[in-house]
Amino acid sequence: MITRLKAQLSKATGGGPVFPLAILSVVYFFDEFDTAAFAVLAPNIKEHFGLSDGDFAGVVLLNLSIVLLLAIPAGYIGDRGPRRLITVVCGIAAGFCSMLTGIVGTVTLLLIVRTANGIGNLANGTVQKSLLADFYAPEVRSNVFAVYLAAPAVGSLVGGPVAGALASAFGWRAPFFIFFVPIVVIAALCLRLREPLRGESDDATAAVAVATEKPPTFGEAARTLWAVPTLRRQYMAYSFIGAGLLPLAFTIPLFYEREFNVGELGRGFLTSLTAAAMLAGTLFVAPKTRRWIERDVGEPLRWIGGFTAVVGVLLVLLSQAPNTAVAVAITALAFFVAGMYIPPFTAVQALVAPARVRTMAFAFGSIFLVGGVVILYLVIPVADLSDTHGIRVGLAALGPYWLIAGAILASASAFVADDSAAALRSLAALAKLRERRAASGETPLLSCAGLDVAYDSVQVLFGVDFEVEEGEIVALLGTNGAGKSTLLKAISGLQPPSAGSIILDGRDITRADARATFDAGIVQMPGGRSVFPTLTVDECLRLAVWTSRREPEHAQATLAQAVEYFPVLTTHRSTLAGNLSGGEQQMLGLAMAFIARPRLLMIDELSLGLAPTIVSQLVDIVRAIHAAGTTVIVVEQSVNVALTLAQRAVFMEKGEVRFTGPTSDLLDRADLLRAVFLEGAAKATGVDVGAPADAAPKRSRASVPARVDDALERPAPVLELVGISVHFGGIRAVQDVDLAVHRDEVVGLIGPNGAGKTTLFDAVSGFVNTDSGFVFLNGLDVTGWGPDRRGRGGLGRSFQDARIFPSLTVVENLALALERHLDVRDPLACALGLPAVFESEAQAALQVHELVELLGLDAYRNKFVGELSTGTRRMVDLAMAVAHGPDVLLLDEPSSGIAQRETEALGPVLKRIQREVGCALVVIEHDMPLITALADTMVALETGRVIARGTPTEVTNDPEVVASYLGDDEDAIMRSGQRRRRPRKKAAPR
């Protein structure tokens, strides 16, 4: 018989080792003796301690809940410690606590002992499953798990009648003394097991390569498991299974005792029958599971969904059973079907769970089992139904939970194939890097493999492969919405990927949070949002120094170096960061990032909102940081700036990497550099997007409005500023500025960061009060008007940071901007649905469509603004400003955050907007090719005062403007223009 049994086990393991499966199954078998005894003797124990149904349910479920919650730390330890030893210790502890169950004399002690017994059994559902998954190959796991999970059914089959017989003869305490000995003896035999490598049966080579990998933290493990769609749905189903399954431990014995007067011995044989039925179901479905997986790895979950739903229906039928015979038949059938659920469920879970957290995967569901019991059974007063409405109602109430769980499990089948492949890829990616290190002694500092990232249901990255060598400067380029910023967020732990792996210097950080990635040496400087606006500059710097508080001398030296790099910050130490100019905020953010001493520095939009002289300085500073040993990734919209700085370029488009290689090679890829987001709008204005930048249409002299010195020969200006001054405390932000803007004119406003350009816009639009001077709009003095009234008077404005509504779609934002132009705005008329309302809204919808077409936003019309890239949000902001129908439109750096080629197409679009809307434009811009081609008149500011005024040629050649603003770095000046020369090397600042 033993030989035959061994042959059957060998067949189940596919010729693999028999001992691990045999010994672990026997451990599970004897542990179930105690569980079966407690279930059979539940009425006796309840009566002995004088408990009601509800009280006894509370004791049992509290015990189960504590035990299930402790499965999480057990799984956590199992992914770190020797699983063989854990199995031995837990088995012996379970045996001793089983014996103590027969000794205790109070409810409190009973709860404590049963909880300790459950803790001793924790290895069964978590650690032992993980061991088996690493001992046996995926193709035989369904058979292995069928044998292993049949063991507790056999334990119940034998243990139930034995417990009932012993209790009938010697009292309910006797079985717990008897079961103690075999449990302890068999657990001790587990010391003969060897400890397999994690992932050994999936990929033996990879398992050896990653054997020394540091285990993930609890947070990383939890995020890893929750990111697997199949596991996520299995865990959701657990909540309903917990509410429908765990109460059965005492509900069914109570049901048979009350409705059919079944005693201890009868309930023992009933437990044996149900265990036999469950075992039969498990063995029946095991060979089918392998065939299902071979056909389609998701097919087992479709069957499981059906099995689970059938159990729910059978429980409802059982509650209405008219006699014992019918009840027993239905009970046996329900447990047979429930047994069919076990092997496919466990096999699929082992397939999709990453090897590094497989023990946790088996344990993690306990949280949801407990949650289902607590929320769905105890909080919703299902537990009291048997006391108030009878045991039949209490039993029937469990059926719907199984039906819901079945629907959830069936829905998970669509994800199994991708999730199982992803689990193998994550193991192989780390192993590949380890092999490279062993072969060459070197690996990339950062490696992203097959990275997918999504925001809710919107996928942004698709299988991105991205590597960075230590000591590199890499430019990450691409069109707006290509996924560049999303890639940086995934690397820094701000946006968890849905698939793929991220490895930093041989360590898997795919699910590491932002704190863990920072501790590993990754620092990200987000574009336009890298400072704390309500803190002063000094407080922001001190906050950055705090990360190095344990090394005060080094921290102070780093702070001094940062201040040396950015001397302008010393004059604003007490200024709120939010009151700095956009360029100054960018410098403060880079200083804070430098103080953090990164190993890998990721800069999102280096030149965002910066004057050419500042861009040139930052390029030198980034080079100095790099020379000090920091690897740098720069996301940059200006190809010229990026290629000046970087050694290698990576080009992304639509969430995929289209090019990677030396920066010089990228210049030969015209198909990439000419990818234009504004293509539709550019064609509408007659711009050839495939032509080089200097081929854009030139304005003839005849197209420029005549400038006549005598003001009487020209219409009155639509906007006029007279002696405008604004002070912040003792700081003069704007000083005696005069400006006249005519309806047919585009005025360009340039100047270094902190020159007062945005403050002047704030004064014109009413967001700050002027200390002196007047603002005239269409001939009216609006100096005392608020922003809303100035808007109604014909003044429109965009902002540097695109202040629009992130939770609304693009078309909803545009419709909102058109609200003041609706013919009918009466709430009562809207509520009544009057025809005039429909006509007004139809007109608004047509205008929204025209705006979408004008600015090339058709691909984004139904997307939430919060999901858009920086450049696309800028275009939505511009469209909303145009929808306002202004007489004067103030644009604050409209090209900021927009890709280079898109910037080249922006000028003609703005001219078309001016022509069709019939408005004047006042534009703050650092992109010199754009503003010089666009403006009729240019005004240069420095320290709040006008230093030059005239044509673009006159202003850009003014010596004072060149010295204070433009500098001599052509690559920084020609940010979106044709690249004319190779970058020149600059000495690092001292």
Side-chain angles (χ1 to χ4, degrees), residues 425 429-430 432-433 436 444-453 461-469 476 484 486-493 497 499-505 507-510 522 600 602 633 648 650 652 657:
R425 284 197 304 269
L430 193 55
K432 182 179 178 182
L433 289 178
R436 284 177 59 180
L445 174 63
L446 175 73
S447 177
C448 302
L451 208 61
D452 290 352
V453 178
L461 298 185
F462 301 84
V464 170
D465 295 326
F466 178 62
E467 289 190 351
V468 180
E469 300 290 339
L476 191 57
K484 306 181 296 296
T486 299
L487 177 58
L488 297 193
K489 289 179 181 179
I491 294 170
S492 58
S501 61
I502 304 171
I503 301 170
L504 179 72
D505 195 22
R507 176 191 169 192
D508 191 335
I509 60 168
T510 309
I522 296 177
L600 173 63
M602 303 189 296
I633 301 174
R648 185 166 63 91
V650 176
M652 294 183 66
V657 173

Side-chain angles (χ1 to χ4, degrees), residues 137-147 286-287 289-291 293 343-344 347:
E139 58 268 19
V140 300
R141 283 181 193 157
S142 59
N143 290 335
V144 167
F145 283 127
V147 172
T289 300
R290 183 172 180 176
R291 291 197 294 272
I293 292 176

Side-chain angles (χ1 to χ4, degrees), residues 35-54:
T35 304
F38 193 82
V40 168
L41 303 174
N44 303 74
I45 297 172
K46 184 181 77 71
E47 182 180 351
H48 176 83
F49 288 101
L51 299 174
S52 67
D53 288 356

Side-chain angles (χ1 to χ4, degrees), residues 29-211:
F29 167 83
F30 279 109
D31 281 343
E32 192 62 25
F33 265 55
D34 173 87
T35 304
F38 193 82
V40 168
L41 303 174
N44 303 74
I45 297 172
K46 184 181 77 71
E47 182 180 351
H48 176 83
F49 288 101
L51 299 174
S52 67
D53 288 356
D55 292 338
F56 188 70
V59 170
V60 174
L61 293 178
L62 180 60
N63 169 42
L64 289 173
S65 298
I66 294 173
V67 171
L68 288 171
L69 289 176
L70 289 173
I72 299 300
Y76 182 77
I77 295 170
D79 277 328
R80 283 159 174 72
R83 292 170 288 179
R84 178 191 63 168
L85 184 59
I86 293 171
T87 297
V88 172
V89 171
C90 287
I92 293 175
F96 275 106
C97 292
S98 177
M99 179 183 66
L100 293 175
T101 303
I103 297 176
V104 297
T106 67
V107 174
T108 302
L109 289 176
L110 176 68
L111 178 60
I112 293 173
V113 168
R114 294 312 299 172
T115 301
N117 173 264
I119 294 172
N121 288 326
L122 283 177
N124 295 335
T126 55
V127 177
Q128 292 176 19
K129 286 181 181 177
S130 176
L131 277 170
L132 291 172
D134 288 332
F135 272 121
Y136 300 105
E139 58 268 19
V140 300
R141 283 181 193 157
S142 59
N143 290 335
V144 167
F145 283 127
V147 172
Y148 173 72
L149 295 171
V154 177
S156 294
L157 178 66
V158 178
V162 171
L166 290 172
S168 179
F170 305 107
W172 68 267
R173 297 180 185 273
F176 298 104
F177 292 100
I178 302 297
F179 296 157
F180 158 68
V181 176
I183 294 175
V184 172
V185 172
I186 297 299
L189 290 176
C190 291
L191 287 171
R192 295 182 58 191
L193 284 172
R194 72 176 182 88
E195 183 72 31
L197 296 175
R198 289 170 173 82
E200 178 180 314
S201 61
D202 294 306
D203 188 332
T205 303
V208 173
V210 302

Side-chain angles (χ1 to χ4, degrees), residues 202 225 228 231 348-358 361 419 423:
D202 294 306
L225 295 173
V228 180
L231 290 178
V348 169
Q349 202 166 40
L351 275 175
V352 300
R356 296 170 64 241
V357 291
R358 189 169 283 153
D419 291 343

Side-chain angles (χ1 to χ4, degrees), residues 590-607:
L590 189 55
M592 294 171 64
F594 169 75
I595 290 171
R597 297 184 299 162
R599 187 177 182 187
L600 173 63
L601 175 60
M602 303 189 296
I603 306 173
D604 197 352
E605 307 287 5
L606 174 66
S607 66

